């Protein structure tokens, strides 16, 4: 109960101020695509140089807590997850927003984040010594199976699409993750263009695959009048939300428990927590078919999981000085610059710092809920922003967020290319989530397999290393159960589709993406089986073969069974509407490097906001939209360039 | 009609943009030549945020904006991947040569990689600015390990060839160089297990997934309660942090200091000499700042400040040594 004695420290005026700043700032940064929790915390490190150790940690801890939740705001409102951890939140959260339930979804998001977060920190407070050793016992074989568990889940993630298309998207994602150097042996793979030399950055892919299709979906409508009722916001009182949310005991429990377990395991990361929690909640739900159609439990499970992860991810850091996540690694730096060495003696040597920090995390969770709910009133209004303005703002942020990660212009180009491809695939009911998760999970599976194989070689061989031991067997069991469940569900769903006799109502696609994927898979099989350093091509080989099989199954179901789910054809009207906007976006990406981000950003923002406004163009509109473009860029400049020192592409102006 | 006004709008916007940028270009023109730097300078770190290089880079650059040094802040950006190859390849081929894009180097990592792999960087196309630190590699085992000395480990490895697994932070980084030297000196077959950075490699030792590890002195020092640090790959013991840990040479193994991880700042070749001179003057002074040194020591990171000429000599010397060592060891 020692943590209770240091609560006073959290509420000294200065510390309370930092807690507040960290929370509010974290929510805003988290909602910005590209600024992952790790990056947000890293950006704040310089500010802590001049602070007392406890104050500095409070700022960092509060930012960590609230960036994780903040990423859900854009996931719900715009279907653009702020970080990979919020991918699962988009699945039901954005559907809820489309149903006019944005306020409700945001409430659930913050309440469940708070509940999961507090539980996670209690685990940190009470069970740290007990769990630290257990957390370290996860070796490469276990991490490999955890990644495979994630892979088994991604295909069936999007309930709206077909399982086969989910699998194809997952395979594409896994393959994308092998582009660039392989992490262990340093062999360069699939570098078809110099822009791919550094591999495909996860954040760039996340932004491209989620944000760009959203922008293009707005642009394809051209200047047609929109159905404004679609994005209504029905108010719901906080009390009602709280009551309903707490009533969802099962989703909260599964989310929190999964988040805590995954958080404890070093190297697993929050993206898996949200994903696995969402999937488990759906599988254990009495009404799994409601998921993906605006089921609040989906939001609650995903968000309670990714915040429950925060506390436990610090367990190995504080007790053994081993950072369990990238964000924990950055926090370690925040401790070290003040000469505080985490480890077994931390709580004896610096009880004031350690406990004040942990207490502030606890208070931070509560503050996050309070400000999050407050913010959600304002944030939900994002939906009321004219779509053409939104398209401009998202385009600007997509470039900024992607570039800011590692100042790489190649990332920006990759982001745009992936985004346009995803928009096209989206027409055929492929979804972004399995693709991004493939990119996230691929390296975890591959790295741990390769490391495990080296270790196994010095022991009793591959089979003994990967297939024996209680923990391995449990994880394999969970993987098999996950696959079996998905197959059963798919068979059941196919019967329903057959019953509806979609063959008659759905036109067969003239050019199904499966054909292209199959062609690509064949090429990849050829490349990866004929490569010189075949040791480094084991994973690409497996992925390419799986991709080819899935594509063939997809083509078969498309033509032989006629079970195509395509219901949006990309017509000429849409292509014409798109052409101008997409042309401008491409131009923007090409000139931002020479013209400078701020000038070109203001121009594209204004151009899209004016050209795609259904009300038509008037000098007044031009003025208003020009001013909002300018204001938007000024806010970005002040907040990021001046305050946080995040650099954007420089040009002749700035 | 509609199309026409659309084109008009676009035309007007483009015209306005051109006008604005022209005006600003004129205004900014003479100012640019005046003094370097006139805006923030970036420093690319080829490892992830939170790693030892990233952490130290953030500390040693914190005083950059001070009037005594660059008068502009240094902004850290991370471009991790493949043991540093991703970041350095990009830097050596695409970074601007105006001095506003700098990178952190790790020796022997980048030199060793440029010898073994087909990289875009060599000591020939990079210009050192200054060195801030030197972190020797140490050999560690879990505190429950039966090994109490390097000799114990070697005896076991000789009886069980290939059974001793040793973790380290990737291929052809300082840890791997030390491993190769240890293996050669011991005359026994060991198994190297590369990880994505020092922290996961140390975790494998603490978690018992591997039997031993080569890691940074600073990281091992923090975890010393759960580890046994059996040897230090340097010419002398570390008096500040680990005075009781013997060097490999003391224990009869011929392992010198070639794996010591030197960290510093470099720019691309082609950067104007005047700009390099400004940096080469200010950067080592900044590393020597009392506050920087205090925080580095607090963080358990050994400081070794070297100026541009000293680093140039050190690079050339390592290049020669590593070419020889890797020619010898690659066959293993």
């Amino acid at each position: 109960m020692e943590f209770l004695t240091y609560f006073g420290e959290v509420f000294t005026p200065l510390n309370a101020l930092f807690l507040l700043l960290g929370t509010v700032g974290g929510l805003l940064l988290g909602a910005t695509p590209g600024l992952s929790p790790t990056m947000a915390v890293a950006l704040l490190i310089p500010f802590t140089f001049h602070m007392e150790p406890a104050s500095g940690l409070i700022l960092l801890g509060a930012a960590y807590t609230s960036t994780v939740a903040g990423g859900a705001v854009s996931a719900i409102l715009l279907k653009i997850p702020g970080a990979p951890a919020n991918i699962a939140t988009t699945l039901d959260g954005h559907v809820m927003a489309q149903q006019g339930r944005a306020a409700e979804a945001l409430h659930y998001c913050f309440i469940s984040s708070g509940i999961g977060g507090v539980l996670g920190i209690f685990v940190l407070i009470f069970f740290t010594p007990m769990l630290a050793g257990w957390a370290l016992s996860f070796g490469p074989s276990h991490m490999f199976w955890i990644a495979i568990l994630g892979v088994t889940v991604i295909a069936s993630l999007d309930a709206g699409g077909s399982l086969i298309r989910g699998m194809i998207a997952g395979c594409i994602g896994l393959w994308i993750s092998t582009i660039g150097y392989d992490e262990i042996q340093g062999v360069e793979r699939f570098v078809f263009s110099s822009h791919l030399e550094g591999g495909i950055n996860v954040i760039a892919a996340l932004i491209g695959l989620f944000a760009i299709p959203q922008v293009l979906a707005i642009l394809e409508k051209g200047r047609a009048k929109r159905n404004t009722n679609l994005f209504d916001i029905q108010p719901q009182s906080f009390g009602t939300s709280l009551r309903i949310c707490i009533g969802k005991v099962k989703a909260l429990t599964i989310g929190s428990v999964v988040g805590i377990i995954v958080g404890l395991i070093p190297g697993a990361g929050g993206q898996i927590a949200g994903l696995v929690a969402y999937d488990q909640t759906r599988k254990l739900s009495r009404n799994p078919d409601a998921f993906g159609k605006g089921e609040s439990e989906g939001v609650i499970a995903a968000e309670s999981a990714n915040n429950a992860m925060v506390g436990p991810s610090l367990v190995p850091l504080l007790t053994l000085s081993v950072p369990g996540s990238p964000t924990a690694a950055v926090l370690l730096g925040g401790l070290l610059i003040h000469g505080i060495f985490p480890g077994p003696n931390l709580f004896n040597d610096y009880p004031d710092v350690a406990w004040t920090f942990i207490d502030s995390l606890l208070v931070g969770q509560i503050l996050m809920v309070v400000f999050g709910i407050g913010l959600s009133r304002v944030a939900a209004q994002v939906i009321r922003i004219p779509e053409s303005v939104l398209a401009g703002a998202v385009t600007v942020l997509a470039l900024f967020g992607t570039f800011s990660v590692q100042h790489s212009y190649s990332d920006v180009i990759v982001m745009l290319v992936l985004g346009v491809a995803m928009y096209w695939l989206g027409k055929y009911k492929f979804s972004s989530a399995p693709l991004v998760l493939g990119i996230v999970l691929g390296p975890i599976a591959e790295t741990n397999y390769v490391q495990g194989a080296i270790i196994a070689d010095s022991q009793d061989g591959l089979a003994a290393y990967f297939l024996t031991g209680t923990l391995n067997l449990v994880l394999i069991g969970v993987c098999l159960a996950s696959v079996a469940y998905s197959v059963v569900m798919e068979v059941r769903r196919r019967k329903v589709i057959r019953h509806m006799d979609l063959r008659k109502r759905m036109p067969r696609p003239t050019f199904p993406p499966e054909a292209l994927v199959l062609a690509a898979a064949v090429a990849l099989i050829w490349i990866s089986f004929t490569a010189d350093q075949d040791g480094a091509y084991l994973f690409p080989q497996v992925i390419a073969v799986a991709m080819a099989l899935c594509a063939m199954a997809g083509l078969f179901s498309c033509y032989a069974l006629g079970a195509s789910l395509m219901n949006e054809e990309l017509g000429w009207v849409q292509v014409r509407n798109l052409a101008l906007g997409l042309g401008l976006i491409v131009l923007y990406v090409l000139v931002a490097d020479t013209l400078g981000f701020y000038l070109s950003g203001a121009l594209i923002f204004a151009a899209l906001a004016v050209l795609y406004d259904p009300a038509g163009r008037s000098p007044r509109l031009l003025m208003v939209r020009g001013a909002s473009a300018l204001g938007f860029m000024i806010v970005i400049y002040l907040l990021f360039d001046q305050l946080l020192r995040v650099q954007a592409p420089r040009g002749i102006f700035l | 009609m509609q199309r026409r006004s659309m084109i008009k709008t676009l035309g007007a916007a483009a015209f306005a943009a051109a006008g604005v940028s022209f005006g600003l270009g004129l205004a900014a023109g003479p100012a640019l030549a005046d003094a370097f730097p006139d805006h923030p300078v970036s420093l690319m770190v080829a490892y992830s945020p939170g790693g030892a290089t990233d952490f130290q880079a953030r500390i040693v650059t914190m005083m950059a904006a001070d009037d005594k040094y660059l008068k502009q802040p240094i902004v850290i950006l991370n471009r991790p991947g493949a043991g540093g190859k991703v970041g350095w390849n990009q830097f050596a081929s695409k970074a601007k040569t105006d001095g506003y894009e700098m990178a952190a180097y790790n020796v022997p990592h980048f030199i060793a990689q440029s010898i073994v792999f087909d990289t875009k960087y060599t000591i020939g196309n990079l210009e050192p600015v200054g060195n801030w630190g030197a972190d020797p590699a140490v050999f560690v085992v879990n505190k429950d390990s039966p090994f109490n000395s390097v000799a114990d480990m070697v005896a076991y490895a000789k009886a069980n060839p290939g059974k001793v697994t040793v973790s380290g932070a990737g291929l052809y980084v300082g840890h791997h160089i030390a491993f190769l030297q240890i293996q050669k000196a011991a005359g026994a077959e060991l198994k190297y297990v590369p990880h994505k950075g020092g922290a996961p490699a140390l975790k494998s030792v603490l978690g018992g997934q591997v039997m031993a590890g080569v890691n940074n002195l600073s990281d091992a020092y923090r975890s010393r309660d759960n580890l046994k640090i059996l040897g230090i790959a340097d010419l002398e013991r570390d008096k500040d942090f680990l005075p009781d840990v013997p060097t490999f040479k003391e224990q009869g193994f011929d392992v010198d200091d070639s794996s010591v991880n030197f960290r510093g700042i470099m720019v691309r070749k082609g950067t104007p000499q005047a700009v390099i001179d400004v940096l080469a003057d200010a950067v080592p002074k900044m590393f020597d700042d009392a506050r920087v040194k205090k925080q580095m020591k607090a963080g358990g990171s050994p400081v070794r400040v070297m100026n541009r000429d000293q680093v140039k000599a050190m690079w050339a010397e390592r290049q020669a040594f590593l070419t020889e060592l890797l020619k010898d060891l690659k066959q293993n």
Side-chain angles (χ1 to χ4, degrees):
Chain A
M1 288 297 131
E2 203 181 349
F3 75 100
L4 291 176
T5 49
Y6 291 97
F7 259 114
E9 290 295 311
V10 180
F11 294 106
T12 62
L14 200 61
N15 286 353
L17 177 72
F18 288 134
L19 190 58
L20 227 90
L21 282 177
T23 306
V24 177
L27 284 171
L28 293 174
L29 291 182
T32 312
L35 285 161
S36 58
T38 311
M39 193 170 157
V41 175
L43 287 175
L44 291 175
I45 290 265
F47 293 93
T48 65
F49 283 144
H50 311 285
M51 296 181 189
E52 290 294 308
S55 309
L57 279 175
I58 286 175
L59 181 72
L60 299 180
Y64 184 10
T65 304
S66 52
T67 38
V68 174
V73 177
S74 48
I76 289 171
L77 297 178
L78 304 171
K79 203 185 172 189
I80 304 169
N86 306 103
I87 292 171
T89 314
T90 57
L91 298 171
D92 280 290
H94 186 62
V95 180
M96 286 180 77
Q98 284 177 323
Q99 294 166 347
R101 296 157 70 200
E104 192 189 338
L106 288 170
H107 283 177
Y108 295 152
C109 150
F110 286 110
I111 296 166
S112 55
S113 289
I115 293 172
V118 167
L119 290 175
I121 289 163
F122 277 131
V123 168
L124 174 67
I125 292 174
F126 295 111
F127 302 104
T128 288
M130 221 181 295
L131 291 171
W134 182 79
L136 283 191
S137 67
F138 278 80
S141 66
H142 313 122
M143 292 303 300
F144 172 76
W145 288 117
I146 288 170
I148 295 298
L149 173 64
V151 172
T152 66
V153 166
I154 53 180
S156 58
L157 201 58
D158 193 344
S162 85
L163 185 68
I164 291 173
R165 286 190 171 159
M167 282 161 69
I168 294 174
C171 285
I172 297 174
L174 288 170
W175 171 68
I176 286 177
S177 80
T178 66
I179 295 176
Y181 288 109
D182 95 275
E183 211 36 77
I184 299 292
Q185 291 151 89
V187 175
E188 209 173 43
R189 302 181 296 198
F190 307 118
V191 178
F192 306 123
S193 139
S194 70
H195 293 299
L196 297 174
E197 270 165 9
I200 291 189
N201 183 279
V202 178
I203 301 293
L206 178 80
I207 294 175
L209 295 172
F210 278 97
I212 297 299
Q214 291 298 99
V215 172
L216 298 182
I218 293 174
L219 300 187
E220 74 174 23
K221 294 182 210 160
R223 300 177 53 206
K225 285 262 179 273
R226 273 130 222 203
N227 183 358
T228 41
N229 292 333
L230 187 71
F231 274 75
D232 201 15
I233 312 167
Q234 294 152 11
Q236 175 161 316
S237 79
F238 175 65
T240 318
S241 296
L242 188 66
R243 209 176 54 242
I244 294 175
C245 192
I246 290 178
K248 306 276 187 195
V249 178
K250 194 151 82 182
L252 282 172
T253 314
I254 295 172
S256 303
V257 170
V258 169
I260 287 166
I261 293 175
V262 174
L264 279 168
I265 303 169
Q271 44 273 57
I272 302 189
L275 166 70
V276 173
Y278 178 85
D279 182 65
Q280 291 300 320
T281 309
R282 181 174 61 178
K283 284 177 178 164
L284 296 173
S285 163
R286 241 177 266 133
N287 191 10
D289 293 332
F291 283 76
K293 295 171 189 142
E295 172 59 60
S296 57
E297 289 191 14
V299 175
I300 292 171
E303 281 304 307
S304 56
N306 66 28
N307 258 55
M309 186 213 78
V310 170
S313 75
L314 301 175
V315 166
L317 173 69
L318 294 183
T319 48
L320 298 165
S321 195
V322 174
S325 69
T327 322
V330 177
L331 280 175
L332 171 66
L335 282 163
L336 293 179
I337 51 168
H338 293 293
I340 295 167
F341 289 20
N345 297 323
L346 175 69
F347 290 88
N348 299 328
D349 296 348
Y350 301 99
D352 48 338
V353 176
W355 287 118
T356 309
F357 173 52
I358 290 174
D359 287 346
S360 75
L361 286 176
L362 207 52
V363 181
Q365 296 285 354
I366 312 290
L367 275 186
M368 181 263 295
V369 178
V370 173
F371 282 101
I373 297 289
L375 183 75
S376 59
R377 280 167 190 267
V378 189
Q381 303 302 321
V382 165
I383 282 173
R384 296 231 170 98
I385 294 175
E387 281 194 327
S388 62
V389 175
L390 214 53
V394 172
T395 305
V396 167
L397 281 179
L399 187 144
F400 179 75
T402 305
F403 184 82
S404 69
V405 178
Q406 47 183 12
H407 293 203
S408 161
Y409 221 74
S410 295
D411 282 356
V412 176
I413 291 163
V414 166
M415 181 273 294
L416 186 64
V417 171
L418 284 178
V420 175
M422 191 65 232
Y423 166 76
W424 178 67
L425 285 174
K427 291 283 163 213
Y428 297 89
K429 290 277 171 190
F430 282 86
S431 62
S432 319
L435 237 159
V436 181
L437 290 164
I439 300 176
V440 169
L441 293 169
I444 302 179
E446 183 173 18
T447 306
N448 283 289
Y449 177 79
V450 174
Q451 282 173 353
I454 297 173
I455 296 173
D457 192 38
S458 75
Q459 296 175 357
D460 307 322
L462 273 181
Y465 185 76
F466 280 98
L467 302 177
T468 60
T470 320
L471 201 46
N472 277 336
L473 291 175
V474 169
L475 290 168
I476 294 169
V478 179
C479 288
L480 290 177
S482 169
V483 173
Y485 180 91
S486 300
V487 169
V488 170
M489 288 294 288
E490 180 69 6
V491 168
R492 225 170 69 188
R493 220 172 53 104
R494 292 248 152 186
K495 276 187 193 148
V496 178
I497 293 176
R498 217 37 103 62
H499 181 69
M500 285 158 63
D501 201 11
L502 280 164
R503 245 173 298 188
K504 281 179 192 149
R505 285 200 277 148
M506 293 290 171
R508 284 181 192 158
T510 42
F511 183 63
E514 280 92 344
L516 194 66
V517 173
L518 183 59
V522 170
L524 293 178
I525 288 175
W526 188 74
I527 295 173
S528 52
F529 279 91
T530 56
D532 289 339
Q533 288 142 308
D534 55 340
Y537 278 89
L538 179 64
F539 257 66
Q541 286 168 357
V542 174
I543 294 164
V545 170
M547 200 196 276
L549 292 177
C550 292
M552 281 193 271
L555 279 176
F556 178 74
S557 82
C558 209
Y559 285 102
L561 306 176
S564 167
L565 287 161
M566 190 184 82
N567 57 4
E568 286 175 85
E569 188 87 54
L570 197 58
W572 279 113
V573 185
Q574 286 148 324
V575 172
R576 215 176 52 213
N577 285 335
L578 266 179
L580 175 67
L582 188 56
L584 285 176
I585 292 174
V586 171
L587 187 70
Y588 161 60
V589 164
L590 294 178
V591 302
D593 206 16
T594 42
L595 213 54
F597 165 74
Y598 291 98
L599 180 59
S600 57
L603 291 176
I604 185 81
F605 187 121
L608 291 181
V610 172
L611 296 176
Y612 283 91
D613 192 276
R617 288 174 298 276
S618 61
R620 195 180 154 270
L621 185 79
L622 190 63
M623 290 276 286
V624 171
R625 293 292 154 84
S628 50
L630 214 59
F632 187 73
M633 299 314 285
I634 290 173
V635 170
I636 294 186
Y637 177 73
L638 292 179
L639 179 63
F640 290 105
D641 190 282
Q642 290 299 299
L643 186 66
L644 291 170
R645 301 260 173 237
V646 180
Q647 291 191 351
R650 297 186 81 89
I652 43 177
F653 170 59
L654 278 180
Chain B
M1 181 63 211
Q2 229 179 48
R3 186 136 303 263
R4 235 197 155 136
S5 62
M6 202 179 263
I7 292 166
K8 248 183 175 170
T9 318
L10 273 178
F15 186 73
V20 167
S21 45
F22 182 67
L24 284 161
L26 277 186
L32 277 175
D34 224 4
F36 168 87
D38 67 356
H39 63 263
V41 181
S42 70
L43 177 67
M44 188 279 293
V45 171
Y47 297 97
S48 348
T53 305
D54 171 76
F55 161 68
Q56 294 183 8
R58 284 176 202 272
I59 294 180
V60 298
T61 57
M62 69 182 186
M63 300 302 287
D66 196 283
D67 277 346
K68 286 186 293 226
Y69 311 119
L70 287 178
K71 304 179 188 69
Q72 285 289 337
I74 292 179
V75 183
I76 306 287
L77 74 106
N78 305 84
R79 196 175 287 139
K85 266 161 65 183
V86 169
W88 289 321
N89 261 341
Q90 203 275 351
F91 184 76
S93 58
K94 289 185 184 156
K96 291 190 178 128
T97 51
D98 56 3
Y100 287 99
E101 293 187 13
M102 311 192 294
Y105 64 75
N106 295 64
V107 172
H109 311 35
F110 92 86
I111 298 178
Q113 290 165 1
S114 76
I115 294 168
V116 179
F117 297 112
D118 179 25
T119 60
K120 294 188 176 155
Y121 48 92
T122 66
I123 62 168
N125 59 15
L126 297 164
E127 295 279 358
V129 166
N131 190 85
W132 78 67
D135 207 349
V138 291
F139 190 84
V140 295
V141 294
N142 194 295
K143 71 165 189 279
D144 301 325
S145 166
F147 305 145
N148 288 309
S149 68
V150 177
D152 286 354
M153 184 277 294
V154 170
Y156 181 88
K158 280 187 170 155
N160 304 280
K163 296 279 178 201
V164 176
T165 44
V166 183
S167 71
L171 287 185
Y172 301 102
V173 298
H175 300 168
H176 190 205
I177 304 295
F179 168 86
L180 292 172
Q181 287 189 296
I182 293 166
Q183 182 170 250
K184 189 183 176 196
E189 193 197 337
L190 310 172
K191 191 144 248 157
Y192 186 68
V193 186
H195 282 66
K196 281 189 191 180
L202 196 62
K203 192 229 107 198
S204 280
V205 178
L206 290 167
Q209 279 96 32
V210 291
M211 295 174 80
V214 181
N215 220 292
N216 302 324
L217 183 143
S218 50
D219 291 315
Y221 172 72
R222 286 201 313 275
S223 294
R224 62 195 177 283
D225 294 324
N226 294 302
L227 291 171
K228 284 189 270 192
I229 306 177
L230 301 184
I232 177 167
D234 203 346
L235 298 176
E236 285 168 34
R237 293 188 181 201
D238 185 276
K239 289 179 214 75
D240 289 331
F241 297 106
L242 299 170
D244 300 329
V245 176
T247 64
F248 276 87
K249 290 217 162 163
E250 285 178 59
Q251 301 183 64
F253 296 97
D254 187 25
V255 175
D256 62 7
D257 61 344
S258 12
S259 63
V260 171
N261 187 350
F262 284 89
R263 296 184 174 102
I265 294 181
M266 60 187 177
V267 292
R268 245 183 108 180
K269 199 177 188 91
T271 305
Q273 193 57 45
V275 169
I276 295 182
D277 290 344
V278 171
L279 290 170
D281 176 57
V283 167
K285 280 190 202 154
M286 170 180 86
F287 293 158
D288 256 329
D289 186 279
R291 279 205 57 189
V292 170
K293 283 193 153 166
K294 191 183 129 230
Q295 299 231 284
M296 284 287 280
K297 188 161 168 70
S301 310
V303 176
R304 194 179 307 172
V305 179
M306 291 158 69
N307 65 29
R308 175 170 151 81
D309 292 335
Q310 289 168 314
V311 180
K312 258 188 161 167
M314 183 264 286
W315 279 13
E317 185 249 315
R318 294 287 135 144
Q319 172 80 27
F321 178 86
L322 287 166
T323 310
E324 196 55 35
L325 176 88
L326 293 170
K327 190 177 71 192
D328 235 30
L329 285 167
K330 250 164 72 180
Q331 273 82 43
N332 275 344

